[in-house]
Amino acid sequence: MYGTGLLLIGLLSGYLIFGPSSQDLHNDHDHDLEMTEENGVEVWTCSMHPSVREDGPGNCPICGMELIPATSETQEDDYSMVMTEAAVQLANIQTTMVTEEVPTHEIRLPGRIKVDERRLTNVSVHFPGRIRELFVGFTGAPIQAGEAMASIYSPELVTAQRELLAAVRHSGPESAMAESARQKLHQWELTNSQINEIVQSEEVRQNMEIVSPVDGYVISRKVAREDHVEEGAVLFEVANLDRVWGVFEAYEDDLAWLQKGDALIFRSRSHPGHQFDAAVTYISPVVDPLKRTVQVRADIENGEALLKPDMLVSGHVKSNGREGVRKMIPASSVLWTGPRSIAFVKDPDADVPRFEAREIELGSRAGDYYIVHDGLEAGEEVVFNGAFRLDSEFQLADRFSMMNHEPGRGAVPMHDHGEMEMGEMEYQENEISRESFSY
C-alpha cells in the first residue's frame, strides 16, 4: 500500500514537469475544431476509403491504414463523395474534359476474296451425248473465249447436222428452211464458224467440240472422258477474275458507321507491302444468326491477278460521324449498368476533391470514345481512370452507384465493428473445430 502511494506521487510529479505546454493544448484544440461532428460525435475517416466513418482514431477496418480526421468542408449527399488528395493519388483517379468534336470511327473488317457472281459462267450441253475428249484436264486452267474444252458425240446433234445439209441442198443456203436448221444449232450453242464449216464441208461431224463462251479460269470441272451426259448438264464453271469481290464481316455495332460509297482499304498476307483501295458497294440486309455479323462487299479491280478467290484479307473503313459535332468522353469513363450508364464528374468549385455520380445517355461508340446525348456538358471533368475504384467506394457508402440506383435504403450493409462477447467467440471457435474434424 505504501509502495503504491509512492508510485502515484512520482507519476503526478512527472506530468507536472514534462506535461503538455499551453501551446500544445492550443494545437489540440485547433485539431479538434477541424473534425466534423455528426450528431455531436467526432468523425474519423480513411484517406483510401472515405466511406469509413468512425467516432475516434484508429485503423481502417478495410485496408488497415491509420484513420485521419474528416474535415468540416466535406459536403456529401447520396450522389457525391469527398476524398482526400492522398486518397485520389492512391486510387490513381484521373480526369479529363468532356469535348465537343466530330466523332470518327475506324472499323476493322476481316474478309476474303470471292468470285464476282456476275462474272461466273456455266458451260453446259443442250443435248444428250458422250464425252469423247477433254481439252481442259484440270481445275484452275486459263481459258479464252472460243477455245475448245471438250468434244462430244450425240445422235441428236448428228441428226440436226443432216437436217441442215438437206435444207441447203434442196432450198439453198439462204432459204428459210436452212435458216431454221441453223437456228436450232445456234440454240445448242454451236458457233457460227462451226456451223459454216459443216455447210462448206458438206459432211456431218461425229464429234463436236464444246467451246468456252468467255475468257477466264476453269474453277470447276464436273466431267471426265467417256462420261454420258444429259441435256442441260453443267460440264465446267468458268470465272472471269479481272474483277472480284471483297466480302467482309461487320459487327452489328459498326453498322451505324457504314454506308455505300465509304472508302475501304485492305491488305493481304500474300502481298504485305501492297495496299488495295476499294469502296463499299453493298451491305447485306441480313444478319448472320451465329456470328452476329453482316456482310459488306466491295468490287475490286484485279487486272494483275494479285487477288485469288478465298484469299484472306484485312480491311478497315475510317468513317466520320454524319451527325456533326457531338459531346464525347473516353470509353473508360463509362460504367455500364444495362439500360443505365454512369460517369463520375469532378466538382470544379470544391476546395477538396469531390466527385458526383451522374447518370448519362450514350450514343454510338467512336473508337476509344462514346458520344454523349444527355447528362454531361462540354467542359466538365469526368473520371477516365479509377472509375471502378470510385464506384466501389460509392457502393460501400450506400450511395448512388453502378449496383445501387436507390441510395440511402441500406442496400450495402455497414460493418459492425463492435466487440464480440468472449463466450460467443469461444462458441464459434469450438464449432469451427468440430466441423474441421467431423470427417
Side-chain angles (χ1 to χ4, degrees):
M1 186 68 178
Y2 178 75
T4 303
L6 290 177
L7 179 60
L8 292 174
I9 294 173
L11 291 174
L12 179 59
S13 300
Y15 177 79
L16 293 175
I17 296 172
F18 302 103
S21 64
S22 60
Q23 181 65 31
D24 293 335
L25 293 173
H26 177 73
N27 290 340
D28 289 344
H29 178 70
D30 290 343
H31 183 70
D32 292 341
L33 289 178
E34 291 180 354
M35 292 183 289
T36 303
E37 292 190 358
E38 295 183 0
N39 299 326
V41 179
E42 295 175 348
V43 178
W44 293 70
T45 186
C46 174
S47 61
M48 193 63 185
H49 300 89
S51 60
V52 174
R53 318 293 284 182
E54 299 290 348
D55 56 3
N59 295 329
C60 174
I62 300 175
C63 65
M65 293 182 60
E66 185 177 356
L67 298 179
I68 61 174
T71 63
S72 58
E73 297 176 351
T74 57
Q75 299 177 358
E76 300 177 344
D77 53 36
D78 288 340
Y79 293 85
S80 65
M81 177 175 289
V82 175
M83 301 181 69
T84 64
E85 293 288 352
V88 171
Q89 293 180 6
L90 287 172
N92 196 22
I93 295 175
Q94 302 177 41
T95 61
T96 187
M97 294 291 184
V98 179
T99 60
E100 283 189 320
E101 54 188 286
V102 176
T104 60
H105 186 45
E106 185 171 334
I107 308 168
R108 298 196 176 275
L109 304 171
R112 65 177 62 216
I113 300 301
K114 295 286 188 181
V115 175
D116 187 338
E117 295 175 359
R118 298 165 298 186
R119 304 171 76 84
L120 182 64
T121 302
N122 288 334
V123 179
S124 57
V125 292
H126 303 281
F127 44 80
R130 184 174 82 245
I131 302 297
R132 301 304 301 269
E133 295 290 339
L134 281 179
F135 305 114
V136 177
F138 60 93
T139 301
I143 195 74
Q144 293 182 350
E147 185 177 348
M149 304 184 75
S151 65
I152 186 172
Y153 167 76
S154 171
E156 285 83 352
L157 182 57
V158 170
T159 301
Q161 293 179 73
R162 289 173 178 168
E163 292 175 354
L164 172 61
L165 292 176
V168 170
R169 292 192 192 101
H170 291 88
S171 304
E174 304 297 332
S175 65
M177 185 179 295
E179 183 62 25
S180 176
R182 284 175 177 270
Q183 288 299 321
K184 182 176 182 180
L185 295 176
H186 272 303
Q187 293 299 322
W188 285 353
E189 293 192 355
L190 269 66
T191 64
N192 288 329
S193 61
Q194 288 176 316
I195 297 173
N196 292 334
E197 184 179 352
I198 295 171
V199 173
Q200 292 172 4
S201 65
E202 297 183 354
E203 293 181 358
V204 175
R205 298 183 58 181
Q206 298 295 316
N207 297 324
M208 184 64 68
E209 294 177 342
I210 299 173
V211 300
S212 174
V214 294
D215 296 337
Y217 294 86
V218 178
I219 62 172
S220 177
R221 192 196 74 177
K222 301 179 182 297
V223 292
R225 292 179 66 247
E226 301 302 329
D227 275 354
H228 287 264
V229 294
E230 299 294 333
E231 179 182 352
V234 176
L235 308 182
F236 305 94
E237 288 184 350
V238 178
N240 187 317
L241 301 181
D242 290 341
R243 177 177 293 179
V244 293
W245 281 348
V247 180
F248 300 87
E249 301 287 339
Y251 288 102
E252 293 178 82
D253 295 344
D254 294 329
L255 291 180
W257 298 90
L258 287 172
Q259 66 178 4
K260 291 182 181 179
D262 284 344
L264 188 150
I265 299 173
F266 67 95
R267 298 179 184 274
S268 167
R269 294 180 182 178
S270 302
H271 308 284
H274 191 89
Q275 175 178 294
F276 298 89
D277 298 322
V280 175
T281 57
Y282 175 78
I283 300 176
S284 174
V286 180
V287 176
D288 188 304
L290 299 179
K291 297 187 290 185
R292 309 309 305 168
T293 58
V294 172
Q295 285 193 351
V296 177
R297 195 173 72 214
D299 293 346
I300 306 165
E301 295 293 336
N302 191 36
E304 299 180 4
L306 297 178
L307 301 174
K308 317 295 184 185
D310 286 324
M311 179 181 287
L312 295 178
V313 292
S314 176
H316 69 272
V317 173
K318 189 173 184 180
S319 176
N320 293 325
R322 300 177 178 87
E323 300 178 354
V325 177
R326 288 291 180 265
K327 292 177 291 187
M328 301 182 65
I329 61 174
S332 59
S333 299
V334 179
L335 299 182
W336 288 91
T337 60
R340 302 163 51 247
S341 298
I342 291 177
F344 290 101
V345 183
K346 185 177 182 180
D347 186 354
D349 300 325
D351 296 332
V352 293
R354 178 177 178 272
F355 299 94
E356 176 189 353
R358 189 87 59 83
E359 190 171 18
I360 60 176
E361 180 182 347
L362 295 178
S364 302
R365 178 162 181 163
D368 295 331
Y369 292 83
Y370 272 107
I371 299 173
V372 179
H373 290 320
D374 191 29
L376 294 173
E377 297 298 332
E380 288 188 306
E381 284 189 67
V382 293
V383 175
F384 75 91
N385 189 74
F388 279 99
R389 186 62 181 268
L390 191 57
D391 184 78
S392 66
E393 297 300 330
F394 272 70
Q395 292 184 38
L396 290 172
D398 190 20
R399 295 174 190 175
F400 186 79
S401 62
M402 189 167 58
M403 302 299 295
N404 182 19
H405 61 277
E406 295 183 12
R409 64 174 185 171
V412 181
M414 302 302 291
H415 294 284
D416 184 7
H417 304 299
E419 297 183 356
M420 286 186 178
E421 295 292 336
M422 183 60 68
E424 183 180 354
M425 293 178 63
E426 292 178 352
Y427 172 78
Q428 291 187 2
E429 290 176 356
N430 293 335
E431 287 297 315
I432 294 174
S433 298
R434 281 196 292 271
E435 291 177 0
S436 300
F437 295 98
S438 59
Y439 59 88

